[in-house]
Amino acid sequence: MLDPQDEQFDRRLATHLVSLYHQSREEEEGAYLDMATLRDYVAYTRTYLHPSLSEEAGQTLVQAYVDMRKIGSARGAVTAYPRQLESLIRLAEAHAKMRFSDVVEIVDVEEAKRLHREALKQSATDPKTGIIDVGILTTGVSGSERMRRQQLARELRRLIQARAKAGTQLSRSVIFEEAKEQAQVALTQQQFDAALRILSDEDVIVVSGQNIRLC
């Protein structure tokens, strides 16, 4: 990180920081709304304000959705569904109401985009890749984790097929230990169970208690 050695820059930054702490008590108290006023404010906007999209705001929303989709398509991940566009529209409308405006303008869309982006960072970021994956919101599983499970299921299928003929039962715990030994990365019980469910859904195996057999 660069720290520019510039006296004019330093002075502007210091002045700004000092100003944040230089409010009188009256100014500080005046910056807040009491609960009664806030309730009336919200009630009024809900009852009397029904903002419509301006043409420019509509075009900005469309472009924002297209851009979100492009981000994911470049790496095979889903970063936006139509539901996300609907969320942007509602956020933009709500911001217009806050301004007491009957029209949703570009400024409202930009604030909606910012809020939506920050929400996704907190709730839909793949912990393994650091990339936003909306699939986490819809399925609870990221794209990278789904790929990992599919890969594990293929490896597990080869292992089981090498250990047993059709109808022969195998110990679930034994297969788990062998799979852990062969795995290139750490294998958890949860991942192993998820892979077994995939193979079971594909009618490759039948899981009965602690036993596994090929179909």
Side-chain angles (χ1 to χ4, degrees), residues 13 23-24 29 31 33 35 52 59 80 94 113 137 174 180 188:
L13 176 60
Q23 287 184 317
S24 66
E29 292 177 351
L33 292 176
M35 288 302 299
S52 57
Q59 292 174 352
K113 287 166 58 180
L137 300 179
V174 170
K180 284 201 298 183
T188 66

Side-chain angles (χ1 to χ4, degrees), residues 161-185:
Q161 289 175 335
R163 295 291 183 274
K165 297 179 181 179
T168 304
Q169 290 192 344
L170 297 171
S171 169
R172 184 171 179 163
S173 60
V174 170
I175 293 298
F176 177 50
E177 292 302 322
E178 291 190 26
K180 284 201 298 183
E181 291 177 1
Q182 296 183 15
Q184 297 180 352
V185 295

